Amino acid sequence: MKNQADYAVLFFADIMHDGQREAMKGPAGARLLFSGDKPVFILGTEQYELASERGYRNFWAIYHRPPEQQHRHYLLERRDSLLPVDEQKFKGAYYTPLNIVDKAYDQLRATLGENWQNRYIVWDMCAGVGNLEAKHSNLRNVFMSTLDQADVTIMKSNPAFAGAEIFQYDYLNDDITDFGEIDYALSGKLPTALRQAITNAREGRKGAKPILVLINPPYAEATNDNTTRGVASDGSGSKAKVAKTRLALSLKADYGKATNELFAQFVARIDLELPTSTLAMFSTLKYVISPTLEKFRETWKAKFLGGFVVHSRAFDSVPGNFPIAFLMWDTAVNVSVANIDTRVLNKEGKEVGEKTFIISTGRKLLTDWIIRPRSNREEVVPLKNALTTATATKDLRGTRWSDDAIAYMWCNSNDLQQAAKTALFSSGFNGGHGLFVTSENLWQAAIVFAVRRLIKPTWLNDRDQFLQPSEALTDEFKSDCLVWMLFNGSNLTAGADGLRWNERDWSLVNHFIPFTEGEVGVSGRFQSDFMVRYMAGMIFSAEARAVLDAGRVLWKRYHAISFPRKIREEFKLNRPDVGWYQVRRALEAYGDTELTDFDAFKAAYAALGTKLRPLVFEFGFLSQPLGSVS
C-alpha cells in the first residue's frame, strides 16, 4: 500500500464492522467483506488481504467487536494517532484533547458572548479530524477543511459533524498566485457559501456575519539552511516542505523568518485573506514573544482579546515541556502586539494561575548587553568539556582566540529554555554561540552567567526572554554574581597540560583561581594571578565571603592530597593552577579513599543563590514569576 494514511481508512472500515455487516458507515471507498471467514479489504478499486491472519485473530480475541458507540466516536476522533510522527507534525494532526477544547469554548463564550455560535461563521482550515468542532452546536455555520482527503472522508462519515461543510483544501498552497494573491478560481475548491461570506465580511455588507477562524495549526519548522532550502536532514521531506509552500515563497519579504514556521504561515494568509476576522488559535508562543519573529510582528497587527496557556503534555505525542497557547485576536484592529496576560492551565486542564508574557519588541535583549570582543588569528584548542577536546569535523568552531581573552563563555540563545547552555571554558568551545571574556567585560560576563543559570526553566517560563537590566545594578550584586559564577558547576575553566588535538599537544591556563598560592598551600606557582588581582579591593557580602571561605577550605584540602594516578590522569592534575571543576571532581573521586565534607560549602553556596534569585526579577532580567505550577 503506497499511502500510509490508507491504513487508517481500512482500520476504520474494520472497527465499524460487526463481523456480518457494517455497524456504522465507513469512509467513502473503504469496505470490509468476508470470503468465508477470511476478511478482504477494499479501497476504491484495490483489494487487500491480511499480511498476518493470526495477528488479526488475536487482536479481535482481545477487543469487543464492534466497539460501543462512544468508543467508535473516540476512534474516529483519534485517527491522527495512526499517522507517522513526522507526518503528524507536517499535517497538524496533533489531537486536541476534548477537555482542552472545552476550555477553548469557555474562552470563546466569555469573549464573544453566549450566542456566538449562531452569530459567527466558523472556518477551521486545518481541521484534521474535527476535534475543535466536536463541541459546536450550530454546524450549519461551520466550514472544515484539511490537507488530507482521508481526513475529509473520516469527518463526513462521522454523524457528529452532520450539517458542516467539509472539504479538502491545502491552505498554504491552493489558490495562491505567483504574486502572493488569493484567486479562488485556481482550484475551485472553496465552497460558494464560504466565498460569499468572505466577500461580505471584507466589504462590510449589511447583515454580513463576522468570520471566526478557529484552528490548531501544525507546528513544523524549517530549522536550518538545508530545510529552508528544501532538503530535509532526515530524508523524510516533511520539514523540507515547510519553507517551500507557495505562501512562504511569496511572503518571505514581508514576514521574514516566520515563513519557516507552518503555523505562522497560516496566520499570514489569514491576515491577507480575512483581514476583519477574529482569530482563535492554538499554537506555541513564538509569534508573540520570539525575537527571531520581530519582523513578523512588524507586519502582523491585531488586538489581543484574551486566552490561556496549557502545558504541552496535555496534547498526546507532543514532545517537550512548554506552553501551548489558545489566544484570541481581533485582526481588524491594527495595533502592535503588546504584553499579554493569560490564564494558566496545567496538563490536566485545571486553571492554576495567571502569566504575563513580555514582548521583547522595544526592550533590549541581554544577548546585546555585553561587550563582544572579536576573534584574532591565534589558534587554540576547541573544547567540548572542561578537559575534553573537540571530535567534530563539520562546522567546528572555537579554534581561534581573542586579544587579551581569559576565557570563553558559551551562552546559546536568549530564552530560558536555552539557559542551561551556559558554561565557562579556558579555551574555545567547539559549538560556538558565545563570547570571549576579558578583563573589560568580566563583570558583565559574571552577571550574564549567573542570571542565565540561577532561574530554573519550567514548562511555563522556558520561552521567556532574558532582558537587559531595567534598574541600576549595585556593586554588591556584581560581586555576588562573580563569586556565584566562580563556584558554579558550569565553571569549566581548568589548568592542564597534554591535551591532544589536531596532532598537537595543547595546554590550558586557568585565570579563574580566586586565591593565592599561600592561601591554599600549593608548593608550585600559578601561571596566572589574574582573578586575585581583579578581586583586590572588592567588598563582598557576607554570603559571598562565606562561599569564598568554604571554597578555600576545599581548595586547600585538594592541594594537601597526593591523588592516585588514575585520578590524576582522568582530571589531568599535572599543573598547580587547576580549576574549580578539577578540584571538585578530584575530591569527589577520592571519596573511595577518604570522604571530603562538602556540606559547609553547599550550604553557603545555596544561601548565595537564594539571595540572588529574586534580584534577577527585581533588576528586570526576567519578567516576574508565577507561583508554583505543575
Side-chain angles (χ1 to χ4, degrees), residues 554-615:
L554 295 175
W555 224 290
K556 194 170 184 178
R557 173 167 170 73
Y558 165 85
H559 284 293
I561 294 175
S562 295
F563 290 98
R565 179 178 178 180
K566 180 181 178 182
I567 295 177
R568 293 200 313 271
E569 290 182 348
E570 181 178 358
F571 300 108
K572 297 192 179 302
L573 309 180
N574 49 33
R575 293 171 59 113
D577 57 347
V578 293
W580 170 240
Y581 170 84
Q582 293 161 291
V583 168
R584 177 172 51 85
R585 295 297 301 274
L587 290 174
E588 290 171 346
Y590 193 65
D592 290 341
T593 301
E594 186 178 349
L595 286 175
T596 296
D597 186 359
F598 282 87
D599 288 349
F601 168 79
K602 288 179 180 179
Y605 191 74
L608 181 58
T610 299
K611 175 188 177 183
L612 285 171
R613 264 180 212 97
L615 297 178

Side-chain angles (χ1 to χ4, degrees), residues 226-486:
N226 281 339
T227 53
T228 55
R229 288 188 287 110
V231 181
S233 59
D234 60 0
S236 68
S238 62
K239 286 190 175 183
K241 303 174 188 176
V242 173
K244 303 290 285 186
T245 67
R246 290 185 64 83
L247 188 85
L249 293 174
S250 62
L251 294 181
K252 192 171 185 67
D254 293 327
Y255 290 93
K257 290 185 178 181
T259 55
N260 293 341
E261 304 267 1
L262 279 185
F263 81 89
Q265 291 182 40
F266 274 85
V267 176
R269 175 165 172 177
I270 292 163
D271 191 37
L272 177 69
E273 182 177 22
L274 305 165
T276 62
S277 64
T278 299
L279 172 62
M281 179 173 70
F282 282 99
S283 73
T284 67
L285 284 154
K286 290 181 71 173
Y287 74 116
V288 178
I289 62 176
S290 174
T292 61
L293 298 191
E294 188 164 339
K295 184 172 178 61
F296 172 85
R297 291 190 292 274
E298 290 174 359
T299 300
W300 184 74
K301 311 285 187 181
K303 179 183 178 183
F304 178 60
L305 300 177
F308 60 81
V309 293
V310 60
H311 197 303
S312 59
R313 290 300 175 89
F315 293 71
D316 289 356
S317 303
V318 177
N321 292 283
F322 57 92
I324 291 178
F326 179 75
L327 305 181
M328 295 186 61
W329 305 90
D330 183 349
T331 66
V333 181
N334 190 31
V335 296
S336 297
V337 177
N339 298 344
I340 60 171
D341 298 317
T342 67
R343 295 179 294 120
V344 177
L345 311 182
N346 62 15
K347 57 190 174 185
E348 285 77 37
K350 180 182 178 182
E351 188 167 336
V352 291
E354 296 179 344
K355 166 77 174 178
T356 297
F357 290 93
I358 304 296
I359 312 305
S360 60
T361 304
R363 283 288 305 275
K364 294 182 178 180
L365 302 177
L366 188 61
T367 48
D368 301 323
W369 179 61
I370 191 169
I371 299 170
R372 292 175 176 268
R374 291 179 176 273
S375 61
N376 59 24
R377 301 183 66 85
E378 180 185 352
E379 190 175 13
V380 293
V381 55
L383 301 172
K384 64 179 181 181
N385 206 328
L387 301 164
T388 308
T389 60
T391 54
T393 56
K394 185 179 180 181
D395 193 26
L396 177 63
R397 306 180 191 185
T399 60
R400 290 289 185 268
W401 206 229
S402 181
D403 294 348
D404 302 318
I406 55 173
Y408 184 86
M409 186 168 75
W410 180 37
C411 49
N412 192 15
S413 298
N414 193 66
D415 53 18
L416 198 53
Q417 68 169 324
Q418 300 291 340
K421 296 178 179 179
T422 307
L424 207 61
F425 298 90
S426 286
S427 190
F429 174 63
N430 70 166
H433 299 292
L435 55 97
F436 295 104
V437 180
T438 68
S439 60
E440 297 296 320
N441 68 3
L442 175 57
W443 72 275
Q444 289 178 301
I447 291 168
V448 170
F449 184 103
V451 164
R452 286 172 61 89
R453 297 208 66 101
L454 275 162
I455 306 304
K456 181 181 178 181
T458 68
W459 74 267
L460 185 59
N461 70 13
D462 74 342
R463 265 53 173 181
D464 286 2
Q465 299 294 318
F466 289 104
L467 302 171
Q468 295 184 20
S470 57
E471 306 292 331
L473 303 178
T474 64
D475 289 341
E476 184 172 299
F477 177 75
K478 295 175 184 178
S479 59
D480 280 351
C481 286
L482 176 63
V483 172
W484 195 87
M485 177 184 73
L486 289 174

